[in-house]
Each structure stands twice: as structure tokens, then as C-alpha cells.
Amino acid sequence: MGNIIVPKAWEDRELRAVEEHVYLNRREILRDLAVVTVGLIAGPMLSSCSDESDPVEGPDSSIGDRNFAFPGMDSLYPAARNSNYELDRPLSDPFDVTHYNNFYEFIHPDDEDIKSIFKYVSVFDTRDWMIQVSGLAERTGIFHLGDLITEMGLEERLYRHRCVEAWAMAVPWTGFPFSRLIQFLEPKNTVTHVRMQTIENRDQMQGIDYQTWWPWPYVEALRIEEAMNELAFIATGLFGKPLPKQNGAPVRLVVPWKYGFKSIKSIVKIEFLDHQPETFWNKAVPAEYGFLANVDPSVPHPRWSQETEIMIIDGDRRATQKYNGYGELVAHLYE
Ligand SMILES: Nc1nc2c(c(=O)[nH]1)N[C@H]1C(S)=C(S)[C@@H](COP(=O)(O)O)O[C@H]1N2
Ligand SMILES: [Mo]
């Protein structure tokens, strides 16, 4: 990708200030959280979070480095598999899936290899993770991820993944349907889009200051009907364990019928809107990245064909399927 200089107009200082505050003063905020999260199950999760002795999980040689996003996190895995979501292909190797990543925030200036992202995530602190919900909904405020998971429950689903750059994989995600979370947050009926934002943590994500030409923070969005589709999934785990940092810990979106860049990682903000927002890739490279970005073998990327895909890392090449094989469940959204 070229060094595209993007004007700084995207900067939203107010928002950044809120997030920095949330991030740097997590434990203070947790004390006051009962006031903010009206109506959410309060109590045990929150009080145990303010315990200064939260355990930090060490790297797991099979899948990588993780923190506890909340106490007791590990005990929720593995979750029961939902047999409605099976695959026509074998699962990818866990080592490949956690060592072949796309996460621009962690690209290292001296080592831009996609297979090196995992080396630079250990400083990423995902403990006591919170998500700010705003916009046109009844329930807005700052929610602790542990509380949301308790409220939503967890299940495992086998999904395909297809990157716009033609690599593909098949993986078991753990999480909950996005529709369940949206229903819980009660958007107003004027809502047309849901916008999501990745944490912008310059101290821990060296790729942000290095790649000054990208319009940080990473932002993605879906139409509300897409977000409510049964396939749209909020993942907190992978291969029966909490998400490794390089795969978007502690909480990411998964939209398997769209190119991978829609599946935004490490989400700290969800906003309900009555218009289509700008997104990271739409702003950065509008000619290449359409807002919809449905997987489609008949629509080539401006610089390459999308007719086939390559399974990581073994290189097995297969025909790309329209909607990544999920047409039965999503084609009606685009008629
Ligand atoms: N915040 C953020 N989310 C992101 C990206 C990114 O660079 N930053 N890359 C996207 C792209 S292009 C892909 S293909 C997937 C890759 O997910 P994986 O590394 O878990 O395979 O994450 C998506 N989510
Ligand atoms: Mo991608």
C-alpha cells in the first residue's frame, strides 16, 4: 500500500480524551461505574476487578499472549459449540491462525511481515476492558466486558475467514451474536448503521505513530440489518481459549461473508447512527475498499483477481465463493 497522506480532519479530540481517560484511570472508573452503567447487572464482577492483584496470563506457546480482560475469564472456555455453523473444510492450524495476522496497529517499522505481528503484541494491556456505547440507543454508557459476557453468554462457531488480500482460513470463534448485544442496547428505530472503533493506544501500538499516513483510529461499520444478521458475531475467544492479542483481544467483530477488514479488532467503542459513517479503509483508500465489501469472486480488486483464495499457510488454493459461501443466510440483504 502506498504512503497516502490523509488530512487530519478525522481527528476527534473529545472522543480521544474520553478514551485516554478511560484507559489510564480504569481502576478509578471501575469504582464509579455503578453510576454509569444504569440497569446493568452490577456487583461481583466489578468489585473483583478493582482488586490490584488481577492475574496476568503468560504466553501460551500454542496460540500466543493473552491478559485476563476480567477476573475468571479463563474459566468460561471452552464454550459449547453451536452446531448450526459447520464447515465444508478442515479447521486451520491454530499455530498458523495466531502467527499469520493482519493488525496494522502492531506493524513494526523494521519488520513489516504479516507473520511477525504476534512478536509485537506482548505490551498490549487488555485487562479490565471497557466498551463505550453511544448514539441513538436506550442503553448507552461505559460497559465492562466481563459484565457484557455474563449478560450475553458464550458459544463456539466454526466460520470461514477471507481476507481481501486473498488468504483464507477456517476457525472456531467463541463469542455471542452481535444481534443479542444490539437488542440488549435497544437502538432507536431511526438507526441505520452501527459504527465500531478500535482502541488507539499509541504507547503500546507502535504501528500507529510509525504509519502516520493512515486515518487512525481503526473504524468499521455495518448497516443495522447486517449487524442484526445471525452470522454477525462478537468474538472473545478462538480455539476454545480467550482471544490472543494478535487476533484482536479481548473483543472483536467477525462478519464471515465480508472481507476480513470489516472484522474490526480490540473494540472500545460502539455507536448507533442514522447515517453511514466514514470508515478507516474507506477514508484511506476509497478506490479499493467499498463500504459493503462482500466477498465476491466476480468483482476483482483493482490490483488483483478475487476468483481464488489461498488457505494459510499450506497454500491450498480454492475457488472463492460469493458471500464466502454464506449466500443462503445473507444474499437477501443485498437484493
Ligand atoms: N483494528 C484492526 N482490526 C482489524 C485489522 C487491523 O489492521 N486493525 N485488520 C483486519 C483485516 S484486513 C483482517 S484480514 C483481519 C485479520 O484477523 P486475524 O489476524 O485474526 O486473522 O482483521 C481485521 N481487523
Ligand atoms: Mo484482510
Side-chain angles (χ1 to χ4, degrees):
M1 313 224 173
N3 294 8
I4 292 158
I5 308 297
V6 177
K8 287 247 168 189
W10 48 270
E11 258 185 334
D12 181 345
R13 299 200 170 276
E14 206 182 337
L15 177 62
R16 178 130 350 120
V18 170
E19 271 160 17
E20 235 157 73
H21 177 68
V22 167
Y23 191 78
L24 297 174
N25 301 295
R26 285 175 307 190
R27 288 194 160 78
E28 269 157 57
I29 296 244
L30 281 167
R31 261 204 328 261
D32 306 334
L33 207 60
V35 185
V36 185
T37 61
V38 186
L40 235 206
I41 41 122
M45 193 71 78
L46 295 178
S47 41
S48 54
C49 274
S50 27
D51 179 357
E52 292 297 329
S53 63
D54 288 353
V56 180
E57 206 176 343
D60 172 334
S61 57
S62 67
I63 69 168
D65 196 2
R66 295 164 297 156
N67 287 146
F68 280 95
F70 52 91
M73 178 179 83
D74 217 27
S75 66
L76 302 174
Y77 298 84
R81 184 171 291 177
N82 182 338
S83 58
N84 293 339
Y85 305 96
E86 296 288 351
L87 292 171
D88 63 343
R89 52 183 73 178
L91 285 179
S92 300
D93 186 298
F95 182 88
D96 296 348
V97 173
T98 55
H99 291 76
Y100 191 99
N101 299 103
N102 188 301
F103 203 162
Y104 274 65
E105 287 87 336
F106 288 102
I107 291 179
H108 193 278
D110 305 323
D111 184 8
E112 298 191 343
D113 189 346
I114 202 163
K115 293 191 284 305
S116 291
I117 301 274
F118 81 96
K119 295 180 198 165
Y120 304 109
V121 296
S122 56
V123 291
F124 186 29
D125 186 352
T126 63
R127 288 173 294 171
D128 293 344
W129 196 265
M130 285 179 283
I131 300 178
Q132 184 190 0
V133 177
S134 63
L136 305 167
E138 297 301 331
R139 279 193 212 233
T140 55
I142 296 169
F143 295 88
H144 195 278
L145 179 62
D147 290 340
L148 289 178
I149 290 179
T150 307
E151 188 77 25
M152 299 296 122
L154 292 177
E155 65 182 58
E156 183 178 73
R157 295 182 177 193
L158 310 188
Y159 275 176
R160 308 148 188 265
H161 174 96
R162 171 61 154 81
C163 174
V164 74
E165 280 158 347
W167 57 269
M169 60 184 186
V171 291
W173 300 109
T174 306
F176 47 82
F178 198 8
S179 62
R180 192 177 298 159
L181 176 60
I182 293 172
Q183 273 158 359
F184 174 75
L185 298 172
E186 296 180 43
K188 309 215 157 118
N189 53 23
T190 50
V191 169
T192 58
H193 291 79
V194 193
R195 178 187 184 275
M196 286 147 282
Q197 188 173 312
T198 297
I199 195 165
E200 184 180 11
N201 187 333
R202 290 173 185 263
D203 292 343
Q204 296 172 12
M205 298 167 141
Q206 79 279 0
I208 295 184
D209 280 343
Y210 154 50
Q211 301 163 98
T212 52
W213 53 88
W214 295 128
W216 308 106
Y218 199 99
V219 167
E220 259 306 335
L222 295 172
R223 293 177 178 171
I224 190 75
E225 312 82 60
E226 295 176 320
M228 289 295 290
N229 184 274
E230 64 174 277
L231 284 173
F233 199 61
I234 298 292
T236 60
L238 180 62
F239 288 105
K241 295 176 179 182
L243 273 177
K245 294 176 182 179
Q246 63 270 31
N247 293 92
V251 59
R252 69 174 292 173
L253 178 69
V254 178
V255 271
W257 72 95
K258 293 179 177 289
Y259 289 120
F261 69 84
K262 296 294 283 189
S263 294
I264 181 171
K265 294 175 167 181
S266 307
I267 298 168
V268 286
K269 190 167 160 59
I270 296 176
E271 193 176 5
F272 292 100
L273 300 171
D274 61 5
H275 59 273
Q276 178 179 310
E278 290 196 299
T279 61
F280 181 86
W281 289 113
N282 276 175
K283 267 190 281 187
V285 204
E288 298 193 3
Y289 298 100
F291 180 84
L292 284 181
N294 294 316
V295 176
D296 189 343
S298 71
V299 180
H301 184 277
R303 292 181 283 130
W304 58 83
S305 160
Q306 293 288 20
E307 280 171 25
T308 60
E309 62 194 28
I310 306 157
M311 299 301 286
I312 57 166
I313 289 176
D314 60 24
D316 186 10
R317 198 176 264 281
R318 297 168 184 254
T320 303
Q321 295 182 44
K322 186 149 185 183
Y323 300 117
N324 202 19
Y326 294 105
E328 217 176 290
L329 294 173
V330 300
H332 68 274
L333 294 170
Y334 308 102
E335 272 153 16

